[in-house]
Amino acid sequence: MQPVDVAIIGAGAAGLFCAIEAGKRGRSVAVIEHSKAPAEKIRISGGGRCNFTNLHAEPSNYLSDNPHFVKSALKRYTQYDFIDWVDGHGIAWHEKTLGQLFCDVSAKLIIEALVDELNTASGQLHLNTAVSTVEREGDGFRLTLNDGTGLSCQSLVIATGGKSIPKMGATGFAYDIARQFGLGVTETRPALVPLTFSGERLDQFKSLAGVACDTRTGNARKSFNEAMLFTHRGLSGPAILQISSYWREGEDIYVHLRPELDWFAELDAFKTAHGGQGLAKALAQHLPDRLAQALNAEIDAPGKLAETSSKRLREIAETLSGWALTPSGSEGYRTAEVTLGGVDTHDLDSKTMSARSHGNLYFIGEAVDVTGWLGGYNFQWAWSSGWVAGQCA
C-alpha cells in the first residue's frame, strides 16, 4: 500500500465519517476494516432501519468518567447537522418515540451514502484486512497488516469500537493500542444489555416470556419510563437496556408498573365496585393477564378484595410502584448494544479527539469512554466524534 496522510482502523460509523471529513480537506485517507463489509452495526441497528440519531441528544444523555468531555463534539456537530446530511442524500426518515429517528426504508442507504462520500473524497477502503501491529515510525506510524504488507501514515485514527457483539468481530483492539501508547483505559463492561435472573425468579419470568409492560425502571442513580419485556433468561426491553448502563452486579432494580397509575386509587375503586373478586382481576384491568396472575401469586393477597384492609391495599400498591428485583447478571457482550467505559477521556483532547501525549493519534466513537442512552445517542456520538477528528487528522 502507498503511504497515506491518515490511516483509520475501523470502518464503522465513526471511522467512515472521520475518513470523509479528512478526505474533504485534501488528506489522503485509507480505512482498514477486518470484516468483509463496512458498517455492520449500522446495517443491523434499529431492526435494519438504523436509529441514526436522536432529536434530544445532549451531554446529559451520555455516561463517562469525564462527563464534560462530550460537550465540545456534540456542540460542533449536532444531531441537526447529521439530519441535514441524511436529507442531502435523499434518505427518507421518520421520528418514533422519544425523539428517535429511523430510515423509512433501510439502514443500507446510510452505509451506501457513507461509502459514496468516501469514494468522492478519494478515500481508500480496505476490507478483510486486519492490523497486526502498530508502531511509531518517525513522526508518524507504521501498520503491519495481516497479509504481511505495511502501511505508513502521518495520523492514525482508532475507530474499532468496543467489545460488544463479538460475533460481528468486536475486540478490545482499541484498548490495546491505547495502553501501548501510554493512555489509560477505564473499566469496561456490557451496556444497553438484557439482564438475567436465576432460581425461582427466573422460573417465574420464563412463564412470562413475551409479556411486555410500560414501566418506570430504575435504581438509586437513574430511572427510565419505557417498556419492559420478560424473556426466557430474565428481562429486556428499552427500560431494562437503559438501566443496565447504571446497574452493578448485586444491586436491585425497582420497577414501577404502569407508572401513570395511582395504584392504591385503582385498587380501592375496584374493591368498592367488585369486592367479591380477587386481586388478580383488579390487576388484569391494567396489566397483561399472565403478569397479573404472577403478581397475585407473589403478593399472596386474600381471596376477595372485600377482605383486604386499606393498609394492605397500600402495601400492595407500594409493591406495584416499586417492585424490587435482583438480577444475577447480564447477557454480556454477546447481546450488548455498546460497551461502557473505554479509552480514558482525560488522556484525550475533546476539541480534536487526539491523545494529549501523541498529537497525531486519535480515538473516536465507541472505543472512547463515552456511552449514550438507547435511542440513537451512540450513533450521534459516532458522527460527532468522527467529524471532529476529521477536521484535524
Side-chain angles (χ1 to χ4, degrees):
M1 294 184 186
Q2 294 294 320
V4 293
D5 296 329
V6 184
I8 299 172
I9 307 178
L16 289 174
F17 215 59
C18 177
I20 290 165
E21 291 300 315
K24 287 179 180 178
R25 294 170 44 233
R27 303 281 277 170
S28 59
V29 179
V31 182
I32 312 299
E33 171 57 49
H34 68 177
S35 300
K36 63 181 180 180
E40 282 291 271
K41 272 198 171 181
I42 294 179
R43 182 183 63 80
I44 68 169
S45 71
R49 293 194 176 184
C50 188
N51 179 191
F52 57 81
T53 193
N54 194 294
L55 292 175
H56 307 306
E58 58 183 32
S60 62
N61 305 123
Y62 294 85
L63 293 80
S64 174
D65 279 358
N66 179 10
H68 298 292
F69 183 82
V70 300
K71 293 179 178 179
S72 178
L74 293 177
K75 182 177 181 180
R76 292 168 63 197
Y77 193 86
T78 72
Q79 59 269 44
Y80 302 104
D81 292 318
F82 192 71
I83 291 169
D84 287 343
W85 184 92
V86 171
D87 288 340
H89 287 277
I91 301 172
W93 54 271
H94 59 278
E95 178 184 354
K96 286 192 175 180
T97 58
L98 304 174
Q100 301 170 65
L101 304 188
F102 291 77
C103 298
D104 282 357
V105 179
S106 172
K108 293 179 181 178
L109 297 176
I110 297 279
I111 300 172
E112 291 170 3
L114 289 168
V115 173
D116 286 347
E117 279 215 14
L118 179 64
N119 291 333
T120 300
S122 299
Q124 309 167 37
L125 176 58
H126 302 279
L127 301 174
N128 282 317
T129 305
V131 176
S132 303
T133 63
V134 175
E135 299 172 300
R136 270 292 188 185
E137 184 178 66
D139 293 331
F141 300 89
R142 181 168 183 81
L143 314 182
T144 303
L145 307 179
N146 59 344
D147 62 1
T149 63
L151 173 67
S152 61
C153 60
Q154 295 176 5
S155 295
L156 176 62
V157 182
I158 308 299
T160 52
K163 298 179 180 179
S164 58
I165 317 184
K167 70 179 181 181
M168 294 177 59
T171 69
F173 179 86
Y175 314 141
D176 294 338
I177 298 301
R179 294 187 182 101
Q180 177 183 336
F181 287 95
L183 280 69
V185 178
T186 67
E187 177 192 4
T188 59
R189 64 182 194 272
L192 301 183
V193 62
L195 298 178
T196 57
F197 290 77
S198 59
E200 293 181 3
R201 187 64 82 187
L202 177 58
D203 292 339
Q204 179 191 46
F205 288 174
K206 283 182 177 180
S207 71
L208 295 171
V211 172
C213 180
D214 288 337
T215 71
R216 178 183 300 123
T217 299
N219 58 15
R221 293 179 291 281
K222 194 68 181 174
S223 64
F224 294 91
N225 281 35
E226 294 204 53
M228 180 179 77
L229 174 70
F230 294 89
T231 75
H232 286 95
R233 289 181 290 274
L235 294 174
S236 188
I240 297 300
L241 299 186
Q242 294 278 39
I243 201 60
S244 71
S245 297
Y246 294 84
W247 174 80
R248 289 281 191 167
E249 287 197 15
E251 293 180 343
D252 287 347
I253 60 172
Y254 298 91
V255 178
H256 187 161
L257 300 162
R258 295 292 304 276
E260 76 280 9
L261 297 180
D262 179 334
W263 275 109
F264 175 75
E266 295 294 337
L267 295 176
D268 193 48
F270 193 89
K271 172 184 173 180
T272 299
H274 309 284
Q277 297 190 24
L279 177 63
K281 286 289 187 181
L283 296 179
Q285 304 303 303
H286 307 288
L287 300 172
D289 186 64
R290 275 193 287 159
L291 178 55
Q293 294 291 342
L295 286 167
N296 179 67
E298 179 168 333
I299 291 169
D300 192 26
K304 297 179 181 180
L305 282 178
E307 300 169 357
T308 307
S309 68
S310 291
K311 179 182 178 181
R312 182 60 178 138
L313 276 188
R314 288 193 183 278
E315 291 172 349
I316 294 170
E318 288 175 3
T319 297
L320 299 171
S321 302
W323 192 18
L325 301 170
T326 308
S328 59
S330 79
E331 292 192 5
Y333 291 117
R334 181 180 64 84
T335 60
E337 295 200 12
V338 292
T339 301
L340 191 71
V343 179
D344 194 336
T345 56
H346 292 93
D347 292 337
L348 302 177
D349 185 333
S350 65
K351 294 181 174 59
T352 65
M353 302 302 297
S354 65
R356 294 185 183 278
S357 56
H358 301 276
N360 54 353
L361 175 62
Y362 301 78
F363 293 85
I364 58 176
E366 190 185 340
V368 177
D369 174 27
V370 172
T371 304
W373 289 1
L374 182 73
Y377 296 100
N378 288 293
F379 273 126
Q380 184 56 48
W381 172 245
W383 314 131
S384 295
S385 61
W387 184 91
V388 166
Q391 310 309 307
C392 309

